[in-house]
Structure formats: C-alpha cells, structure tokens
Amino acid sequence: MLAAACNDDSPVEPHIPGQLTAIAVTAGSEHTCAITAGGAAYCWGWNLSGQLGDADSTSQLQPVPVAGGLVFDTVIGGIFNTCGVTVSGAAYCWGSNFSARLGDSTEEDRTSPVGVRGGLSFATLRSGFFHSCGLTTGGAAYCWGYGNVGQLGDSATAPSFSLTPIPVRSGLRFSTLSTFNFHTCALTPAGAAYCWGSNNSGPLGDSSLTARSAPTRVVGGFTFRSVSAGGFHTCALTTDGAAYCWGDNGYGQLGNGAGVDRSFPVPVGGGLVFAEVTAGGTHTCGVTTSGIAYCWGSNGFGQLGIALGNDPTKPARVLGGLRFLSLSAGWSHTCGITFAGAVYCWGYNHYGQLGTGDTTASYVPAPVLR
C-alpha cells in the first residue's frame, strides 16, 4: 500500500556512493543496527558493552557486521544491548547483560550474539533498562531480568529476578509487543492493548499511576494495530491509522499540543493518517500512508529533524523531502529507511550512532555510510 501511494509523486532519491541499504533499521539508546536483504545484521555507534555484536568493544562510526554469520528476521536495539530473532525463530542477544537482560543464564556482558536460554521459538524480542521480553511464535509473552516495578509481568508482589525467560501471567495471547525502558505493552490479535511495569507518568494507559506486575488493559476501548513503548510514554495506531499516545508529556512527546502527562490515550494532533508510529526516549515519530515522516517531542539534539520554529508538541514534517518506509526512534536520535532501502539517521551523534563516519550531530536526515 505504501509503495503504491508513492509511485507517482515521490521525488527521485539521490544516489549516494557507499550508502547502506537495508530492509529494517532499529535505533537503540546510543547505537543503531540494521538488517540487509540477505538477513545480515550490521550495527554502529557506542560499543562499550559489546552492543554492536562485532566481537569487540570499540565504538564504530560506520556499520560493522554482527559476528556469527546468523541470518536475522528481526533485530532490536535496546539500552546498551541488542537482541534479534533469526529466520528459524532462535533468539539471540548481545551487549550489556546488566540484570541478566540477555537471557543466557549469566550476568556477563557479551560482545557477540549468545542464545537466549529456554528453547523457545520467538517472533520478536524487546529489551528495556532492567529487563527483556519476547513474544513466541504462538503469541505467548515471556520476560526476564530484574522486575523492580513489575516489568517482568509475573504478578510478583515484590521485586523479582530471572536469568532466563519466564511467562507473563495473563492467560492472553498477543500479536505484537514493545519494550523500551521500564514498561512493556502488547496487543492481542483483536487489537486490545495491555501494558505492565512502571507507571509513574502513566505510560500503562490504565488511568492510574500505579505500577502493574501483570498486564493491565489500556482504557478507551480502542482497537489498535500497532504499539510502541518509549522512555516514559507509549504510542499506538488504531486500525484506521489514527495515532494516540499516553504517559510522560514533559517534552510534548504525546503530540497533542500540550505539556501535561496523561494516563490514558490522547489523540496526536494534526489529523494525520499514519502507517507507523515509533516512540523514543522523549520524542515520537510517525510515517504517514504516503511515506511522509513527522516527529514531535524533545529536540535537544535534532532528533526531530524538523525546521526551526515548528511547535515540537505537535507533529512537524521531517526535513529533506524523503519518503520513508519505516522509522525507528532511539533515545536521542532517529533513523529511517526510504522506499529504495537507503538508511538515514539524524539527531545525537556523540558515539557515531548516526553512522555518518563522524560524531557531528545532524538536524536533518543524513545518509548512513558503509
């Protein structure tokens, strides 16, 4: 649908020698990863804990291949770590193993991929600050690591800890799942949203500020088709492409033109119809059905990619005139893939997470170079 919408009026993308092409990109806290058409994973940026997976701990200003020769279906950048699922459903993680987030039965950092224990076949993985969660191919949710505010979803009434995946206590099956910081959200096949974990600013969307150690339903009776957990907020898309956000709004990341936290879904302003929405640390971005990128929220490092003078509490169009297939919002940077598969990043670049070959921040989409 997206490609068809852009066939007639999309500008011709510039050919940039050496630019990385990929089918998926994921922005982590201070690093970025991508998957090529053949399933090879590449990462770049900060590598102190081994989150680039290249069997080293040296930060890289441009993409380097993840070690092991694995063929990935999905890769997700976390907070100083990375996780991925191969085409056969095998789960791997690498980087910081703080609080046992890698799920390999240890708390040792890993500079190359290690298998998540438990023998489960996963469809996707996500990793937060203290924990990681995954969704099996059968739709069952599992989490592991440290659950100090209920983020393991195991119904524990006190902080809990697990070196390997344990089931989320809900009896529900989910179709998609998202984790970033201290909370997790997931959708049932019918489009009902459930969240668990920290709820200080209302990112669980249940009209309270109470942490939950088991999935609690997001209020409003919405039917969502996607959900994205950010630093302290959450955003989701309804089946008709309307974006809603909830939680922390200190930087305008809910996109409703205000700066007040909300513990329930509020509509993103502008009346745009989105194909995708992605919540970052303190900002949010979305791609419309015609491939136009919009961002809102914190812009201290240029992660919105918008013109000066735009109201950051409402969606503003990303500069550069590119049409994007997908976007990924990290902590303070954003990356996207165009319809031609070219990878661009913008925002904070102190550790080379933009992949441009230097450490200069960019306020507009900049090509990732190999």
Side-chain angles (χ1 to χ4, degrees):
M1 180 178 69
L2 289 178
C6 295
N7 280 343
D8 296 331
D9 60 354
S10 292
V12 176
E13 289 186 28
H15 173 70
I16 301 174
Q19 185 171 12
L20 176 69
T21 59
I23 60 172
V25 66
T26 173
S29 54
E30 313 292 352
H31 73 294
T32 310
C33 297
I35 304 176
T36 67
Y42 287 79
C43 297
W44 56 96
W46 200 18
N47 199 25
L48 180 66
S49 300
Q51 55 264 51
L52 304 190
D54 63 342
D56 198 357
S57 57
T58 302
S59 297
Q60 300 290 338
L61 303 181
Q62 293 177 236
V64 292
V66 173
L70 297 165
V71 180
F72 287 99
D73 182 62
T74 63
V75 169
I76 297 295
I79 299 176
F80 314 129
N81 70 337
T82 309
C83 290
V85 178
T86 68
V87 292
S88 64
Y92 290 84
C93 293
W94 55 95
S96 171
N97 205 7
F98 179 60
S99 298
R101 293 178 298 165
L102 303 189
D104 67 339
S105 295
T106 78
E107 293 183 77
E108 299 176 11
D109 292 353
R110 305 291 187 178
T111 61
S112 57
V114 292
V116 175
R117 296 292 183 91
L120 296 165
S121 180
F122 282 98
T124 189
L125 298 182
R126 296 290 190 274
S127 192
F129 193 86
F130 286 131
H131 76 300
S132 297
C133 294
L135 198 63
T136 69
T137 52
Y142 286 77
C143 296
W144 56 97
Y146 180 51
N148 65 319
V149 284
Q151 57 264 62
L152 298 191
D154 57 353
S155 297
T157 57
S160 56
F161 181 80
S162 180
L163 292 167
T164 57
I166 56 175
V168 171
R169 302 294 182 183
S170 68
L172 297 166
R173 287 292 183 267
F174 297 107
S175 59
T176 188
L177 174 148
S178 181
T179 298
F180 198 150
N181 206 15
F182 299 106
H183 73 289
T184 300
C185 293
L187 301 183
T188 67
Y194 288 80
C195 299
W196 59 96
S198 174
N199 202 21
N200 285 345
S201 302
L204 304 191
D206 65 347
S207 289
S208 83
L209 300 179
T210 303
R212 307 292 184 179
S213 61
T216 182
R217 186 163 183 173
V218 174
V219 300
F222 296 98
T223 301
F224 291 116
R225 72 167 187 244
S226 66
V227 66
S228 180
F232 301 96
H233 72 295
T234 307
C235 295
L237 286 183
T238 64
T239 53
D240 60 359
Y244 286 79
C245 296
W246 55 95
D248 181 46
N249 200 22
Y251 296 92
Q253 59 263 53
L254 302 191
N256 65 338
V260 180
D261 297 352
R262 298 296 185 187
S263 60
F264 51 88
V266 294
V268 172
L272 298 164
V273 179
F274 289 100
E276 180 189 66
V277 65
T278 172
T282 52
H283 75 293
T284 309
C285 295
V287 178
T288 68
T289 52
S290 59
I292 300 174
Y294 289 82
C295 293
W296 55 95
S298 175
N299 198 31
F301 300 99
Q303 60 264 47
L304 301 188
I306 65 175
L308 294 176
N310 278 305
D311 182 356
T313 68
K314 300 177 182 178
R317 186 168 179 171
V318 173
L319 296 168
L322 296 164
R323 298 293 181 103
F324 288 94
L325 182 64
S326 66
L327 297 179
S328 178
W331 196 264
S332 298
H333 73 295
T334 308
C335 295
I337 293 180
T338 68
F339 284 89
V343 183
Y344 288 81
C345 293
W346 56 98
Y348 190 49
N349 196 30
H350 183 74
Y351 300 100
Q353 57 265 51
L354 301 190
T356 54
D358 57 35
T359 56
T360 302
S362 179
Y363 287 75
V364 297
V368 175
L369 304 174
R370 294 183 61 172

